[in-house]
């Protein structure tokens, strides 16, 4: 069968690549065309558009790039029509994907959504659009099934979290080789910096994170460079000898890190699954933050706290994201009770997420639903 996958960010590229591998294992004739990145392409998908062309973050940035966004929407519709897939699979990236889902439903394509739009966080009214345009939803967070089925009478499949697959499938790492290859001190414990994957957020987050390097000189600060950004972008930040940089090796870095400073997003959950104590950080431009504050109804912003429904990791948001607060919270998680408490909560978190196998289960359901619809 033919599958068309749309992933618009680095996390979607990762989950899309594992889904493609699962689809190819279960459907030997799978022909897959996709939006994503290097990972979906390496997994065997034919790349229609790279997510580097799509990375617009925040309300203001979206407004400033509307022309490019509408061009991408037009191209996507034309590309789907030309490919004529048996199933379209949307991965997160809701602002774009829900527009395409409406068009796809009108043109009688089978629509699957893998990794739900976060309507439980904001703009819950989008549930009506989802009900009207998405044939099958596959959710990855345990509370989402209850949210959709009990609150909105919309049946969904909980498949588990694909990050468990991505982490379980990693090859073993030789720490000393990794350190020496990347110029990291062989004795200092590592503080990993995960400042995000888009230029706008990295520029807002990284300078403040790096301001702590001299205060923790007995640790090595290592920036996890995003695959979506070139090394040249990071060069202005690399002025301190106590700061190192690696690119596209975030999981290797987390596997040996002592603590982490993490921009809110999927990376907070990834850090928790590697059992690295963390401080979650977030700062948007003033206009975007004021809009978000009025439409987001959640008590927490990090996936770790949302899943656990309590504060497991400290969140420093907007005006609370200061050097003083960051230094205080980082100190707390390096040793002692706060560190031990966070690590214990991570074990509970992993239990809540269930076991591995999300990619295979989602693939099997997508294939079965397509067969039921067309054959």
């Amino acid at each position: 069968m033919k599958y068309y996958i749309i992933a618009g960010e680095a996390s979607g590229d990762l989950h899309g690549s594992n889904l493609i591998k699962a689809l190819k294992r279960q459907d030997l004739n799978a022909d897959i065309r996709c939006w994503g990145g290097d990972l979906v392409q390496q997994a065997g998908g034919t790349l229609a558009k790279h997510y580097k062309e799509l990375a617009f973050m925040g309300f203001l940035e979206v407004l400033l790039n509307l022309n490019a966004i509408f061009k991408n929407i037009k191209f996507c519709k034309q590309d789907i029509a030309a490919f004529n897939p048996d199933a379209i699979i949307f991965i997160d990236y809701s602002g774009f994907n829900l527009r395409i889902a409406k068009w796809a439903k009108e043109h009688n394509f089978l629509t699957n959504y893998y990794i739900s739009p976060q309507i439980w966080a904001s703009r819950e009214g989008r549930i009506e659009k989802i009900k009207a345009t998405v044939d099958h939803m596959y959710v990855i967070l345990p509370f989402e099934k209850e949210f959709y089925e009990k609150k909105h009478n919309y049946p969904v499949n909980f498949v588990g979290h694909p990050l468990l697959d991505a982490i379980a499938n990693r090859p073993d790492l030789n720490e000393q080789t990794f350190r020496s290859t990347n110029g990291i001190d062989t004795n200092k414990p590592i503080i990993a910096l995960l400042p995000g994957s888009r230029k706008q957020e990295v520029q807002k987050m990284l300078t403040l994170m790096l301001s702590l390097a001299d205060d923790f000189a007995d640790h090595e600060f290592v920036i996890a460079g995003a695959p979506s950004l070139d090394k040249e972008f990071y060069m202005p930040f690399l002025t301190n000898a106590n700061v190192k940089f690696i690119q596209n090796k975030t999981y290797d870095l987390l596997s040996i890190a002592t603590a982490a400073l993490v921009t809110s997003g999927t990376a907070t959950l990834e850090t928790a699954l590697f059992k690295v104590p963390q401080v979650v950080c977030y700062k948007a431009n003033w206009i975007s933050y004021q809009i978000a504050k009025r439409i987001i109804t959640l008590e927490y912003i990090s996936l770790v706290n949302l899943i656990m429904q309590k504060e497991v990791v400290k969140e420093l948001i907007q005006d609370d994201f200061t050097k003083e607060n960051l230094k205080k919270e980082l100190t707390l998680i390096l040793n002692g009770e706060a560190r031990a408490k966070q690590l214990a909560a991570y074990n509970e978190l992993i239990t809540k997420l269930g076991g591995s196998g999300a990619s295979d289960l989602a693939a099997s359901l997508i294939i079965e639903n397509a067969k039921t619809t067309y054959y």
Side-chain angles (χ1 to χ4, degrees):
M1 286 190 291
K2 296 168 71 175
Y3 308 88
Y4 197 100
I5 297 174
I6 306 175
E9 300 171 302
S11 59
D13 183 35
L14 172 65
H15 302 321
S17 69
N18 286 321
L19 181 64
I20 287 172
K21 292 172 188 174
L23 287 169
K24 285 183 168 291
R25 281 194 297 269
Q26 298 180 41
D27 178 0
L28 299 181
N29 296 313
D31 182 6
I32 302 172
R33 187 166 175 83
C34 50
W35 292 44
D38 298 342
L39 295 178
V40 294
Q41 195 168 24
Q42 291 163 12
T46 300
L47 197 62
K49 180 79 73 170
H50 201 290
Y51 67 78
K52 287 183 180 180
E53 301 177 51
L54 314 172
F56 306 120
M57 168 193 178
F59 300 98
L60 181 60
E61 289 80 5
V62 168
L63 286 174
L64 294 173
N65 289 280
L66 279 177
N67 189 46
I69 291 168
F70 286 131
K71 282 183 178 179
N72 285 331
I73 290 171
K74 181 179 180 180
F75 168 77
C76 186
K77 292 175 181 177
Q78 292 172 340
D79 200 52
I80 292 172
F83 186 63
N84 194 28
D86 296 290
I88 300 174
I89 304 162
F90 305 106
I91 300 181
D92 202 1
Y93 197 50
S94 61
F96 186 91
N97 275 334
L98 286 176
R99 285 177 177 269
I100 300 299
K102 180 178 184 295
W103 172 88
K105 189 65 177 174
E106 290 170 352
H107 289 78
N108 298 314
F109 289 106
L110 179 67
T111 54
N112 300 267
Y113 218 119
Y114 178 47
I115 306 179
S116 162
Q118 295 180 351
I119 65 169
W120 36 265
S122 66
R123 295 158 58 204
E124 193 170 329
R126 289 178 292 171
I127 182 62
E128 298 307 322
K129 185 180 291 187
I130 289 172
K131 283 183 173 182
T133 62
V134 177
D135 295 314
H136 303 285
M137 175 74 76
Y138 314 97
V139 301
I140 64 172
L141 298 171
F143 61 80
E144 289 179 320
K145 186 172 177 65
E146 181 175 355
F147 170 83
Y148 278 111
E149 294 188 343
K150 291 190 176 180
K151 189 171 184 179
H152 292 292
N153 194 32
Y154 177 64
V156 300
N157 292 281
F158 172 60
V159 296
H161 207 293
L163 280 179
L164 294 168
D165 294 340
I167 292 171
N169 294 333
R170 288 180 62 254
D172 292 333
L173 178 73
N174 183 301
E175 179 174 349
Q176 292 306 312
T177 300
F178 179 80
R179 283 176 176 266
S180 61
T181 300
N182 292 284
I184 300 171
D185 191 294
T186 55
N187 297 312
K188 287 184 178 181
I190 291 172
I191 295 174
L193 307 182
L194 281 65
S197 60
R198 302 181 185 94
K199 286 184 178 180
Q200 299 100 321
E201 63 186 354
V202 174
Q203 288 166 339
K204 286 183 172 63
M205 311 303 299
L206 190 50
T207 299
L208 186 54
M209 290 179 174
L210 290 173
S211 70
L212 299 185
D214 290 335
D215 295 310
F216 296 86
D218 54 343
H219 290 73
E220 190 97 288
F221 278 57
V222 184
I223 302 168
S228 55
L229 301 174
D230 297 328
K231 184 177 180 180
E232 288 70 24
F233 170 77
Y234 293 94
M235 293 305 294
F237 299 100
L238 304 178
T239 58
N240 189 316
N242 195 38
V243 175
K244 299 296 186 295
F245 172 84
I246 63 167
Q247 188 152 29
N248 206 17
K249 297 179 182 176
T250 301
Y251 283 9
D252 290 342
L253 177 61
L254 286 175
S255 72
I256 61 173
T258 295
L261 306 179
V262 186
T263 295
S264 181
T266 304
T268 63
L269 183 55
E270 292 172 315
T271 303
L273 294 179
F274 276 98
K275 301 185 179 180
V276 180
Q278 65 183 296
V279 182
V280 175
C281 315
Y282 191 75
K283 188 165 190 174
N285 71 62
W286 187 85
I287 294 174
S288 292
Y289 177 69
Q290 293 303 317
I291 296 172
K293 190 168 67 170
R294 286 160 175 76
I295 65 172
I296 293 176
T297 58
L298 300 174
E299 186 175 356
Y300 305 109
I301 65 167
S302 70
L303 282 172
V304 176
N305 292 343
L306 287 168
I307 294 167
M308 293 298 291
Q309 298 181 335
K310 63 180 181 181
E311 186 182 77
V312 170
V313 296
K314 185 67 176 181
E315 299 177 353
L316 299 178
I317 306 168
Q318 208 65 9
D319 293 340
D320 290 332
F321 181 53
T322 65
K323 180 178 179 179
E324 180 183 6
N325 287 341
L326 196 58
K327 182 178 179 180
K328 172 188 170 186
E329 297 302 330
L330 178 56
T331 301
L332 287 173
I333 62 170
L334 287 175
N335 296 290
E337 182 182 351
R339 180 180 180 85
K341 187 176 179 181
Q342 207 172 111
L343 289 171
Y346 285 169
N347 290 328
E348 296 178 44
L349 172 73
I350 292 169
T351 300
K352 277 198 169 193
L353 289 174
S356 58
S359 304
D360 280 313
L361 180 54
S364 66
L365 290 168
I366 290 167
I367 292 169
E368 183 60 32
N369 288 327
K371 287 180 177 177
T372 302
T373 301
Y374 296 116
Y375 301 102

